[in-house]
Every structure is written in structure tokens, then in C-alpha cells.
Amino acid sequence: MILSSHDRRLLLGPLNKNNAILVQILGICSALAVTAKMEPALVMGISVTAVTALSSVILSLLRDAIPTRVRIIVQLVVVSALVIIIDQLLKAFAYDVSKQLSVFVGLIITNCIIMGRIEAFALANKPWPSLLDGIGNGLGYAFILLIVAFFRELLGSGTLFGLPVIPGACYRWGYANNGLMILPPMALILVGIVIWIHRARNKDLIEP
Amino acid sequence: MENLINIFIRATFIDNMIFAYFLGMCSYLAVSKTVKTSFGLGVAVAFVLVITVPINYLINTYLLSPGALAWLFDGGSTIDLGYLSFIVFIAVVAAVVQLLEMIVEKFAPALYNQLGIFLPLIAVNCAIMGASLFMQEREYAGVAEAFSFALGSGAGWLLAIVGIAAIRERVTYANIPAPLRGAGITFILTGLMAISFMSFLGISL
């Protein structure tokens, strides 16, 4: 293992105990709307990971040069420049997914996870730990997106990544896709259930 | 006029920012513990929406969209600055929020202290950026329509946050399984509210 144990904790912590969505309740805004299918959820997860990691490094390098009073504007400029790059890349190489994500690519700018990690970590740490922290939090976000999208696509459309997985025989025997899973309310309820399971397994996270 | 009312009702009930698009969830979940504060935040968000969306509409129509610069100089119709829209929109939002913060601090210090950190954080509230991006995507036909859309979105957001705050005030006294307390039950409650809002889908406008 190349990484020291401290580095590994930065990278892997957000996948479980420090998960941004489940524990800090950040980044819900643009997360839930893209989870009706696996494919957009995966693309969104990768995009957010890239933006979080790169913006953390850039702002960590700039941290001594930014006056505290104007830091929010500087952060927004850096993040939105990165998001513009991602948006152009998606339009060039994955046009269909980019259409499905519609405004939610632009909304990566206001994703609370990115601003949260910059404020809480990158502005006080060196570039290398900031990079690991950014990647870790991005992956933690992508992980939850994929869990929610897995259940919504499997139960709602009977497919995974667009490929049918439920055998045709089941449909002939009377199984039907649950259309409610595709609609927005089920995303909220599924996240609620994921939080429930996560907290039942980590008792110290239970709110008083 | 009828068209404007339709856009307002559609934005408030059918395409509700929270229940249909999950926009602005961060502050929605964090501030919705009491009705009073959540009402203050809801009004502030609606106010910022009503100012920023029309401004961004004008910028988008006359400066950024393909061929929008034709009125400025010859050959302007070949220029497409569309890729700049993210950065321009967020700059407008941040500037308006800064302005609002100064105004509220001067004229309503009580509300300013009550909202605390969440007032400057309106700048990164997804509902506001989201409304500007939806305005761009849906291509409204004039500044009045954009204004009506912003007003409807703001009203819908206010309605949602006040509603969940009222429910949460009651839920405090309920016997909820320990791991579900706080965030978990709020998500499920929001999901149930969203299901009830789906009944508005039947309205044809």
C-alpha cells in the first residue's frame, strides 16, 4: 500500500462513517433527481468526483493567496470553470446522458459537498490530502447515488444500465414493474431508508 | 395574462422545486426545525429568485444565447457565448445575495441574526441556480414569463419549507425508531408530501 494510514482514512472515511450524503446531509440537491437510472447516476457521480477533487487541489494551492472576505466568490469561479469544462466534455462525448442530466450538470456548481469540502478541508490543508479528501467524498457521493439508482431502476424499469435483468417469465406470471419507483417521491423515501439502515449499523450517529 | 398565471401555478404546484426536482434540499433540511425561521428563509429565497431570474433572463437573451449579440455590432449573430452561462449566472446570484445580506443587516437586524449563516448560503442554494438554468432550458418568451416562473418557484419553495417545518414541530413528540430520528424521518416525510403533491399532476394547463 503506497498510502499511509492517515491518507487511507481520508480516502475511505467518506465511504462509510463520514459519508457526505448520509451523515452530513449535504449534496442532496442535485443528487436525487438523477437516480431514476444507473447510467446518469454513474456519470453524475464521476463528474462530481472530478470537480470535488480538482477544485480541492486548486483552492488548496491558492489558500494563502485568497483574502477571507472574497473567498466564496473565488471558490464559485473556480468551481464553475471546472463545471463548464465537464459540461463541454459531456456534450462532446456523451451527448445523450448530457441531455438526460439537463440542468443538473450546471447544478454541480451549487452542490453543497464541493463547497463544504473546500471550506472545511481544502482551505486549511496541503494539496495532496485535499486531493484524497476530494476523491473520497466524491466517491462516497457516487456510492449512494448508485445504491439508490440500483433499486429505482431494478424495481421501476426491471433493467440495470438499460439492460433487462428480470426474466420475461416473471412478467408472464404476473410480475409488474413498480412505476412509482421512477417518480421523484421514491428517491426521497429510499434515501430515508438508506439513512435508517446506516444509522442502525452505526449507533453513534443516531440523533438525540 | 392567462399564460402568466399558468406558468405561476405550474411552477408552484406541479413542478415544485422541492418535490419534483429536489432543489434547495440542503437548507430545506437544515433550517426546517421551526416554522418561524423557515418562513424567514423561504421569503428570502423567493425574493432572491424574483430578482435573479429576470436579470439572468435578460443577460441570457441579449448577451449569451447563440446570435444574441446581433443588436450590438455587425457579425454579432455568429457569436455563441452559451458556454459562459454557468459562471455568469452564479456571479449574478452571488452579487444579489451579497446585496440582500447588506440590506437585511441594515434594516432588519433581528431577521439577520435569526438566519445567521444561511443568509449568505442562499448563494449556493440549488433552487436559485436551478431556476435560472430551467429558465434557460425552457426558453420563456419574455421577461414577464421569467418573472412569473420565478415568483411561482419561490412560492412553491416557501410552501414546502413551511409545510415540513410545521410537520417536524409535531413529529418531535412522536415515538420514532432511534436510527430514523432527524434526517431519516424528514426524508420519508418529504417523500410522502411529494406523493400528495403528485395529485396536482392531473391539472391540465
Side-chain angles (χ1 to χ4, degrees):
Chain A
M1 200 67 188
I2 321 160
L3 301 170
S4 65
S5 67
H6 179 249
D7 285 353
R8 215 175 313 149
R9 205 161 51 240
L10 283 178
L11 193 60
L12 299 179
L15 283 172
N16 189 16
K17 280 268 172 117
N18 284 323
N19 191 284
I21 293 189
L22 299 183
V23 180
Q24 299 158 25
I25 319 291
L26 294 176
I28 315 289
C29 322
S30 56
L32 298 178
V34 301
T35 53
K37 293 263 187 304
M38 293 285 274
E39 198 187 2
L42 183 68
V43 172
M44 188 73 179
I46 295 171
S47 312
V48 170
T49 309
V51 175
T52 318
L54 290 173
S55 63
S56 286
V57 173
I58 293 172
L59 284 154
S60 168
L61 287 169
L62 289 173
R63 70 187 186 281
D64 295 326
I66 305 172
T68 329
R69 290 182 66 89
V70 296
R71 69 181 193 286
I72 300 270
I73 298 278
V74 177
Q75 290 162 11
L76 284 175
V77 169
V78 171
V79 174
S80 42
L82 288 168
V83 172
I84 289 175
I85 296 172
I86 297 270
D87 182 46
Q88 300 286 320
L89 282 175
L90 283 181
K91 275 186 184 147
F93 295 109
Y95 189 73
D96 293 340
V97 181
S98 150
K99 273 280 153 227
Q100 278 180 46
L101 290 173
S102 73
V103 301
F104 294 99
V105 181
L107 286 175
I108 297 176
I109 297 172
T110 52
N111 191 316
C112 327
I113 293 180
I114 296 171
M115 298 299 280
R117 285 338 285 170
I118 293 170
E119 283 277 300
F121 198 91
L123 286 180
N125 285 283
K126 293 209 171 76
W128 174 242
S130 303
L131 174 70
L132 293 176
D133 180 76
I135 295 178
N137 277 286
L139 289 179
Y141 169 91
F143 181 53
I144 303 302
L145 246 66
L146 287 175
I147 293 180
V148 176
F150 176 81
F151 286 108
R152 285 183 77 190
E153 189 173 355
L154 182 68
L155 301 175
S157 320
T159 57
L160 287 177
F161 287 106
L163 304 168
V165 287
I166 293 183
C170 293
Y171 290 102
R172 282 194 296 278
W173 281 57
Y175 174 83
N177 289 326
N178 183 355
L180 189 61
M181 278 293 182
I182 302 292
L183 296 168
M186 283 316 287
L188 290 161
I189 293 178
L190 274 175
V191 172
I193 293 171
V194 173
I195 290 178
W196 187 0
I197 296 169
H198 186 250
R199 292 200 178 166
R201 294 182 51 178
N202 299 283
K203 298 269 187 232
D204 49 323
L205 294 175
I206 291 174
E207 290 176 39
Chain B
M1 189 63 205
E2 197 190 332
N3 193 22
L4 296 183
I5 295 171
N6 281 351
I7 290 177
F8 177 83
I9 290 178
R10 171 165 276 278
T12 311
F13 294 107
I14 303 173
D15 291 340
N16 187 290
M17 278 288 173
I18 295 272
F19 299 130
Y21 297 107
F22 320 106
L23 296 180
M25 289 294 283
C26 296
S27 32
Y28 169 85
L29 292 167
V31 186
S32 61
K33 288 203 176 76
T34 60
V35 171
K36 213 175 155 201
T37 3
S38 57
F39 185 78
L41 185 75
V43 170
V45 166
F47 183 74
V48 176
L49 271 173
V50 166
I51 296 179
T52 55
V53 174
I55 293 179
N56 282 339
Y57 179 84
L58 292 174
I59 291 177
N60 187 46
T61 317
Y62 294 107
L63 293 176
L64 296 178
S65 61
L69 288 169
W71 60 275
L72 199 58
F73 53 85
D74 286 342
S77 57
T78 54
I79 298 175
D80 177 7
L81 294 178
Y83 63 90
L84 282 178
S85 56
F86 292 166
I87 209 164
V88 173
F89 287 176
I90 198 74
V92 169
V93 171
V96 170
V97 170
Q98 190 79 55
L99 202 68
L100 179 78
E101 198 185 341
M102 291 193 288
I103 293 172
V104 173
E105 190 180 7
K106 182 109 169 60
F107 295 104
L111 182 67
Y112 182 79
N113 291 328
Q114 214 174 43
L115 290 175
I117 182 70
F118 286 100
L119 194 57
L121 278 186
I122 294 178
V124 288
N125 186 318
C126 327
I128 292 172
M129 184 66 181
S132 284
L133 293 173
F134 275 128
M135 171 275 293
Q136 187 191 30
E137 192 185 78
R138 292 179 189 162
E139 295 168 345
Y140 286 114
V143 77
E145 287 193 0
F147 176 80
S148 170
F149 167 69
L151 196 65
S153 301
W157 205 84
L158 177 66
L159 192 68
I161 196 172
V162 171
I164 193 75
I167 296 176
R168 281 183 83 175
E169 280 187 0
R170 298 297 175 89
V171 161
T172 328
Y173 305 109
N175 187 12
I176 303 162
L180 203 54
R181 258 179 240 150
I185 193 70
T186 313
F187 271 105
I188 293 179
L189 283 172
T190 311
L192 295 176
M193 285 171 81
I195 291 179
S196 65
F197 261 67
M198 273 166 54
S199 57
F200 290 112
L201 282 175
I203 303 176
S204 62
L205 292 173

